Amino acid sequence: CRPLTSRKDSSNWKRQVSRKLGAPHPQVFALLQEAMMAASGMLSDIGTTYFVTPTCYPDREVDGEDRHNEAADAMKLFVELFERLIQVTPDVALGHFLTWPIEDQFFFKKLVLYALSKEDFFAPEEVGQRVLALSQDTFWDTDVARELVFLLVDRWSTIPEPLRHQLGERILVGPDQESYWSDDVYPSRRDEFIARYARYLEMQGCELAADQSKRLAAIINSIENWSDGWATSTVTENGSHVGWVGTDETPDSVVDLAVDEIIPRAKEDLQRDFGSFTEKRPFTGLVKANPRKALSALLVAARAKDYPQAFWSAMINEFPEDISPRLRRVFLHRLSRLPHAVIVELRHTICRWLEQNITKLIEFDDELIWAVFDNVVDGVVNGGNNATESGIGEISRGGEVIPQSRRTYQHAINGPLGMCAEALFHAVPGEKQEQNSLIPDYIKNRIERLFASPGEGSDHVVSITFSKLNWLMYVDAEWVEYRLVPMLAFEHPAAEPAWNGFLCSSRVPWSPLAVLIKSFLLQAVPWVENQTWDRDLAKVVAQWLGFMYLFKRDEDDGVSKQQMRHALRDMSGDTRNQFIWWLGKVGQKNDDGWEGLVAPFLNEVWPREQIYRTTSSVEAWISMLDDTGASFPVVYAAVKRFLVPVETDRHPFYRFTREIGEDEPITVQFPEETLDLLDAVTPRVLSRPPYELPKILMLVAETSPDLRTDHRYVRLMDLVENS
């Protein structure tokens, strides 16, 4: 599948195949098809939520340049080869078509619909029947709407009338109600989908039955502000346009105006004309050139209860450093009295500004900046749940929202109160705090108040606070012990954002902190694995436990052999495999790491039950072994008991035949151990030809000819010759 993962490899390979093949050999096409199926499977396995495949119609209804993921270039080649295969050997092409999974979410759903558009390939009646047989999910999938609608347009006139009527009825029924559409929203969403599909068909000359056309007209009339452009946009491939949007901050249009005329004129210039690549921002230029006049203009507008968000954002973000103390105080006083409703509108801008500037503002006038801070927090908190939400929206695929927790550190750093919490910790006095120097009460009190914020705000503050738990333990251990550590108890309401923030720091717990929370850490892996977070953080807990065993087991903050083994058993297969990767890093980065740390760990701690020996774990062990260098025999001896025969689509032995740095290939350095490894993981029967196996056996034979008579070598050679 390498052509699918590298832009350079993909384009080179495509040129070579296109150049060498006038008519594609069926085996070449089959190989590419198998690779695409494997790639689709791997994309599903790793939970890919966004993967744009190119359109099958690159020259039809396209606005702008192609914007698909370049890793999908193989699909373009696939379409070209399929076209040739239809012309040369249509029966073979049909055989391939019948194996394509119509429910595949990445490649084949589009390809099936594209193939059905070929007049010489499918009879009109079969096209109608196959389209009617599509599931509702596929029929209304926005990712393939372009291919489906083009198919209907191209074949509509030839499809028998009874089938056309059924297709019209299916369109007019509309999509099923999705779980994320409320009962109130569903009717309008359904009608919009119906109108987009059916109206585009009408616009292309595809006639519906008379009664169906009337029903469509009624549906369209019920849609507020309907435009036929909505129907066209359903099939338009929107790419990128040549050019970029720039900003013109020249203040000429406002700089000489009276202060009461500046805001009205700047509003006129704010919106750029459609199709223009320049946005006019004269007020931003005025802030930079004459901040006093810009601030005066805002204050005049404020008397009329007008607080234009764009201009206040420009004032906050672009206010110059080199201004007089008096003007700076006027600005800060104004911020300290901004109405709460305005703060809600400006919350992301002003909270980010506080986070970035609070330290130097405290040096300028600490009393005034705390007045600003408290007014901002009051405004956001009084704005309710919506005002405290993170700037990160929901993730969706195919119009369906992917369930994911919002109680995370990533959401916190993009939430207004999360930014305020960061600002508070920046405000702790001193460039570097001494141990037990304590967090000032005026900061802790504000943190405590933010813990009680509405909506997401409380979670954001908790997550930000716990991302600094090591440092807080160093500076103010008593506060951490009695106020923060209890929040790590899994039943605590704030446990989820607390653990997420703590784990996102990725720093091994400081010894005194580790002693306090060790009982939680020993039980944390399965609990963390059950969270719907945006990152896999169970591996962080596993690695912390590994560190506490390998480097701390004889100390109070260490874990015992039994505790470590129990934790490994509690992990999911994925987390254990990631732990194997971490063990590899321990071996590489520590003196005598492989033989002094990793091998003893495997011999003494790793659980030996058969259920932990899986295809994925074998791949992880092999991946670790190819980095062991001169310690390969010792580490392999420890790993061998955990290996079982497996067959995989991956190529785990890729590095065993290649030089690594200045070192010879592992197979050349250790031919007998490599042969034994191959024998241990290779099944007695293979369903597909082995990839690296022949190369490795050749190296084994060249390096150590005596091994040619070894029963392991003979068995593996038989597999190669018979495959």
Side-chain angles (χ1 to χ4, degrees):
C1 298
R2 289 186 60 77
L4 298 178
T5 60
S6 165
R7 176 185 179 186
K8 180 178 179 182
D9 289 350
S10 176
S11 53
N12 287 343
W13 187 57
K14 178 178 178 180
R15 284 196 297 270
Q16 292 170 13
V17 173
S18 297
R19 185 169 58 247
K20 292 179 180 178
L21 298 177
H25 194 287
Q27 288 184 337
V28 174
F29 183 82
L31 285 172
L32 180 54
Q33 176 177 290
E34 182 180 353
M36 289 180 63
M37 287 185 173
S40 184
M42 286 187 281
L43 287 167
S44 295
D45 290 344
I46 64 176
T48 302
T49 58
Y50 184 74
F51 186 87
V52 180
T53 53
T55 175
C56 295
Y57 299 90
D59 302 318
R60 185 171 176 179
E61 296 275 14
V62 174
D63 180 20
E65 297 296 323
D66 193 2
R67 65 177 180 87
H68 74 269
N69 187 323
E70 288 168 340
D73 277 343
M75 183 169 168
K76 285 187 168 183
L77 174 59
F78 188 85
V79 170
E80 293 177 16
L81 295 181
F82 183 65
E83 292 275 9
R84 299 184 202 173
L85 202 62
I86 291 174
Q87 298 170 8
V88 178
T89 53
D91 291 343
V92 173
L94 179 60
H96 283 293
F97 169 87
L98 295 174
T99 68
W100 294 353
I102 183 60
E103 300 303 327
D104 169 63
Q105 63 178 318
F106 297 106
F107 302 110
F108 291 96
K109 193 180 297 185
K110 279 187 178 180
L111 291 167
V112 166
L113 296 172
Y114 175 74
L116 289 172
S117 70
K118 302 302 172 186
E119 294 183 4
D120 297 334
F121 202 44
F122 291 102
E125 184 173 0
E126 183 175 0
V127 171
Q129 292 170 343
R130 285 185 176 273
V131 173
L132 287 170
L134 294 175
S135 68
Q136 278 285 81
D137 287 343
T138 299
F139 194 93
W140 296 102
D141 185 348
T142 56
D143 289 339
V144 298
R146 178 177 167 84
E147 277 68 25
L148 175 63
V149 174
F150 282 160
L151 165 63
L152 293 174
V153 168
D154 292 346
R155 305 301 301 269
W156 189 264
S157 62
T158 61
I159 294 175
E161 194 281 330
L163 289 176
R164 283 205 310 270
H165 189 273
Q166 292 179 52
L167 287 168
E169 286 298 311
R170 176 155 191 190
I171 293 172
L172 291 173
V173 168
D176 295 336
Q177 183 173 354
E178 299 286 358
S179 60
Y180 50 90
W181 289 347
S182 68
D183 292 340
D184 293 336
V185 167
Y186 171 56
S188 61
R189 295 298 301 272
R190 178 197 60 211
D191 289 351
E192 184 179 321
F193 271 92
I194 292 170
R196 285 173 179 269
Y197 277 44
R199 179 57 184 151
Y200 187 81
L201 289 174
E202 281 194 338
M203 291 165 64
Q204 301 303 311
C206 303
E207 294 184 0
L208 298 173
D211 66 311
Q212 292 174 342
S213 185
K214 290 180 181 179
R215 286 155 57 194
L216 173 61
I219 289 172
I220 290 176
N221 288 334
S222 70
I223 300 175
E224 186 176 359
N225 299 321
W226 167 263
S227 165
D228 283 348
W230 293 14
T232 303
S233 69
T234 302
V235 298
T236 300
E237 180 77 358
N238 290 306
S240 57
H241 291 271
V242 178
W244 59 89
V245 177
T247 57
D248 179 5
E249 296 179 353
T250 305
D252 294 354
S253 63
V254 296
V255 70
D256 294 326
L257 296 177
V259 291
D260 60 342
E261 298 174 349
I262 290 175
I263 299 301
R265 176 56 189 273
K267 286 181 178 179
E268 294 177 8
D269 291 338
L270 185 61
Q271 300 298 325
R272 66 183 176 94
D273 294 334
F274 180 77
S276 169
F277 288 104
T278 301
E279 294 180 341
K280 295 181 178 180
R281 294 290 183 265
F283 188 83
T284 301
L286 183 64
V287 172
K288 296 177 179 179
N290 192 337
R292 183 184 302 278
K293 190 168 189 177
L295 181 58
S296 297
L298 287 176
L299 298 181
V300 168
R303 294 189 193 119
K305 309 299 183 185
D306 183 14
Y307 294 88
Q309 180 183 347
F311 302 153
W312 274 100
S313 294
M315 177 61 69
I316 293 169
N317 287 327
E318 305 296 344
F319 203 65
E321 293 289 331
D322 56 342
I323 58 173
S324 69
R326 183 176 180 279
L327 180 58
R328 187 177 299 280
R329 282 194 174 86
V330 171
F331 174 56
L332 294 176
H333 275 294
R334 185 64 249 182
L335 293 182
S336 71
R337 298 196 299 272
L338 273 181
H340 289 173
V342 178
I343 288 174
V344 170
E345 294 296 319
L346 296 168
R347 61 192 182 278
H348 290 283
T349 297
I350 199 169
C351 291
R352 182 71 72 193
W353 173 80
L354 278 171
E355 177 189 351
Q356 295 172 347
N357 296 280
I358 195 167
T359 302
K360 59 187 177 184
L361 291 172
I362 286 174
E363 294 175 358
F364 173 71
D365 189 327
D366 63 337
E367 184 176 347
L368 183 53
I369 192 56
W370 285 121
V372 173
F373 181 91
D374 291 339
N375 188 49
V376 169
V377 169
D378 287 343
V380 176
V381 169
N382 291 338
N385 292 359
N386 292 339
T388 66
E389 286 186 354
S390 172
I392 295 180
E394 296 174 322
I395 296 176
S396 62
R397 179 172 63 197
E400 182 175 356
V401 174
I402 306 300
Q404 194 172 82
S405 174
R406 296 181 63 83
R407 309 182 74 190
T408 70
Y409 177 76
Q410 193 64 31
H411 286 81
I413 61 177
N414 290 283
L417 294 187
M419 300 174 199
C420 289
E422 282 283 7
L424 285 173
F425 290 120
H426 293 334
V428 174
E431 293 184 8
K432 184 176 181 181
Q433 291 71 37
E434 299 295 329
Q435 186 172 357
N436 297 323
S437 57
L438 305 183
I439 305 296
D441 287 342
Y442 63 85
I443 289 180
K444 282 193 288 195
N445 291 339
R446 286 180 168 89
I447 289 289
E448 295 277 2
R449 182 199 170 198
L450 289 174
F451 280 162
S453 302
E456 296 180 7
S458 176
D459 292 338
H460 296 168
V461 177
V462 169
S463 198
I464 294 296
T465 301
F466 275 78
S467 71
K468 305 176 187 305
L469 198 58
N470 268 327
W471 170 72
L472 289 171
M473 183 70 186
Y474 180 78
V475 175
D476 201 334
E478 183 178 352
W479 185 56
V480 169
E481 183 172 358
Y482 85 81
R483 183 65 179 93
L484 301 185
V485 167
M487 297 168 75
L488 291 173
F490 304 122
E491 65 276 8
H492 194 284
E496 185 181 346
W499 274 102
N500 190 275
F502 184 35
L503 295 175
C504 281
S505 72
S506 297
R507 300 184 63 181
V508 176
W510 184 44
S511 292
L513 176 62
V515 172
L516 288 178
I517 67 171
K518 183 166 67 172
S519 62
F520 295 140
L521 288 172
L522 290 169
Q523 305 174 56
V525 171
W527 184 85
V528 172
E529 287 177 337
N530 285 327
Q531 306 306 311
T532 56
W533 287 344
D534 49 2
R535 290 177 56 191
D536 178 10
L537 295 176
K539 65 182 180 182
V540 177
V541 185
Q543 291 167 14
W544 286 356
L545 292 171
F547 178 88
M548 293 165 69
Y549 173 78
L550 287 173
F551 302 102
K552 297 280 187 175
R553 60 180 176 272
D554 297 326
E555 302 176 24
D556 291 342
D557 56 318
V559 299
S560 68
K561 181 189 306 183
Q562 291 76 16
Q563 289 171 330
M564 189 69 234
R565 186 182 294 122
H566 183 74
L568 287 166
R569 287 174 175 147
D570 278 348
M571 295 175 193
S572 68
D574 286 343
T575 304
R576 264 193 309 275
N577 293 340
Q578 290 168 341
F579 188 83
I580 292 172
W581 173 87
W582 178 79
L583 283 176
K585 297 303 176 184
V586 170
Q588 294 174 56
K589 294 182 178 180
N590 291 274
D591 294 337
D592 196 30
W594 290 114
E595 299 182 27
L597 295 172
V598 176
F601 182 91
L602 300 179
N603 288 324
E604 299 169 9
V605 180
W606 199 269
R608 301 187 180 186
E609 291 89 337
Q610 186 71 27
I611 60 171
Y612 303 124
R613 305 173 192 180
T614 64
T615 297
S616 60
S617 72
V618 170
E619 292 175 351
W621 290 122
I622 295 172
S623 179
M624 185 186 79
L625 286 168
D626 66 23
D627 279 319
T628 53
S631 299
F632 177 76
V634 174
V635 182
Y636 171 61
V639 167
K640 182 177 178 180
R641 64 171 61 89
F642 309 123
L643 301 177
V644 291
V646 298
E647 190 168 13
T648 174
D649 291 329
R650 307 177 193 274
H651 304 299
F653 287 99
Y654 176 78
R655 299 183 68 193
F656 277 72
T657 60
R658 286 160 177 78
E659 295 181 358
I660 302 174
E662 298 180 356
D663 296 332
E664 292 181 309
I666 297 173
T667 304
V668 173
Q669 296 181 62
F670 307 105
E672 184 168 2
E673 288 82 357
T674 302
L675 179 62
D676 193 67
L677 169 59
L678 278 174
D679 183 61
V681 302
T682 304
R684 296 295 168 184
V685 178
L686 293 174
S687 62
R688 64 176 67 87
Y691 184 70
E692 284 107 350
L693 185 56
K695 303 176 187 178
I696 296 177
L697 291 176
M698 180 182 69
L699 277 180
V700 168
E702 291 176 354
T703 306
S704 185
D706 292 345
L707 291 174
R708 292 179 180 178
T709 58
D710 188 286
H711 68 93
R712 296 165 297 186
Y713 181 89
V714 172
R715 180 182 82 85
L716 295 172
M717 278 302 300
D718 285 343
L719 280 176
V720 171
E721 292 171 355
N722 294 328
S723 61

